[in-house]
Amino acid sequence: MKKINEEMTELIDKAVAGDKESLELLIKNIQDMVFNLSLRMLGTFSDAEDAAQDILFKVVTHLSSFRKESSFSTWVFRIASNHLTNYKKHMFAQFPLSFEFYGDDIENADTQDIPDLTQNVENSILAEELKMSCTNVMLQCLDPESRCIFILGTMFKLDSRIAGDILGISPENYRKRFSRIRRKMADFLSQYCGEYGLGKCKCRDRVNYAIQNHRINPSQLDFTAAAVISVEQMIEVKNAMEEIDDLSQQFSFCKCYESTDKVKQYFEDFLNSTVTNTVMEAHRRKL
């Protein structure tokens, strides 16, 4: 871990000093982390792409303000969390969800007598897409800060000290809130979800209903098409983990994904633009 920290510090110093290759490598090291946090916080790939670009731009333009008082990933998480908890342009900010609405939809939706809308895509593929989409969208039933607490603890497995530092709350407060939120999520899954709990909802039986209500699109399967990666590939977390209970393990189905081509292309274009030269020159002047 010490070697990794030293290498990261050297990379940051070179990037701030104006080395474009170091800046590019630095962004590549964090872009998947930023994209996955954005995806879980906002619910859709398109919104996550836009927000991830905004966050990475903030990281680049504020890089010289990083004082190395925390790890670089903690600093990036803080920027990303602040941006995402206040982000108002995503779909679910305009059309908020609640557990009550979600539960009522599961219990009372008429899923019968719907024509085949699968466009010759296998039902198993569409059911998996729906499962990934549903578990992601379910997070939108939480308020933004609770959502962030839950994601940092379950997907990124950050311990309470680091997560509390990111969110500006005490480790004790973080642990209490995280426990309550996990229980709320677990209770909902247990009551309604037939994939991970004892509920009646089975993805394979709701595929056509989901297509009819524009929840999945057979011609654009974002989750199915995305490249899955491990948490270890996304961020170094071994020294940031604490003991997690069986309840946390229920949420291990939340997969991690590689940044989309749109996010990668945005930063390739950005790094080759005159804006980058201006930003790098501003960093050098602050040294």
Side-chain angles (χ1 to χ4, degrees), residues 58-163:
K58 283 186 176 182
V59 169
V60 171
T61 54
H62 292 83
L63 192 57
S64 59
S65 68
F66 175 56
R67 302 304 180 197
K68 303 171 187 171
E69 296 170 352
S70 64
S71 72
F72 183 64
S73 60
T74 298
W75 183 73
V76 173
F77 267 129
R78 191 177 298 118
I79 291 174
S81 298
N82 287 338
H83 184 82
L84 292 166
T85 53
N86 294 291
Y87 196 73
K88 304 300 183 186
K89 295 188 290 184
H90 65 109
M91 181 176 72
F92 293 106
Q94 310 302 319
F95 304 99
L97 291 179
S98 67
F99 286 109
E100 292 74 20
F101 174 86
Y102 224 162
D104 181 71
D105 181 73
I106 291 171
E107 289 290 346
N108 300 312
D110 183 6
T111 60
Q112 305 300 315
D113 302 321
I114 299 175
D116 182 7
L117 303 173
T118 59
Q119 300 179 28
N120 296 319
V121 180
E122 290 184 21
N123 186 271
S124 60
I125 294 174
L126 294 171
E128 181 66 17
E129 178 77 9
L130 178 58
K131 181 169 67 174
M132 291 299 101
S133 175
C134 182
T135 52
N136 200 44
V137 171
M138 183 174 62
L139 294 172
Q140 308 309 308
C141 295
L142 297 168
D143 66 84
E145 188 171 32
S146 295
R147 196 182 314 146
C148 196
I149 288 171
F150 182 79
I151 295 166
L152 292 179
T154 54
M155 168 169 270
F156 294 98
K157 300 179 175 63
L158 300 185
D159 72 20
S160 54
R161 294 164 299 161
I162 294 173

Side-chain angles (χ1 to χ4, degrees), residues 38 42-52 87 89-92:
S38 300
L42 304 182
T44 68
F45 272 74
S46 58
D47 285 330
E49 287 171 336
D50 291 341
Y87 196 73
K89 295 188 290 184
H90 65 109
M91 181 176 72
F92 293 106

Side-chain angles (χ1 to χ4, degrees), residues 265-279:
Q265 187 61 51
Y266 170 83
F267 261 88
E268 183 177 333
D269 294 342
F270 173 75
L271 288 168
N272 292 322
S273 70
T274 56
V275 176
T276 299
N277 295 331
T278 303
V279 171

Side-chain angles (χ1 to χ4, degrees), residues 19 32 39-40 43 47 52 71 76 83 124 136 138-139 143 164 175 194 207 219 221 229 231 281 285:
D19 185 74
D32 290 340
L39 179 60
R40 300 307 172 191
D47 285 330
S71 72
V76 173
H83 184 82
S124 60
N136 200 44
M138 183 174 62
L139 294 172
D143 66 84
R175 285 195 295 269
V207 164
S219 63
L221 302 177
I229 59 175
V231 172
E281 179 60 30
R285 290 175 180 173

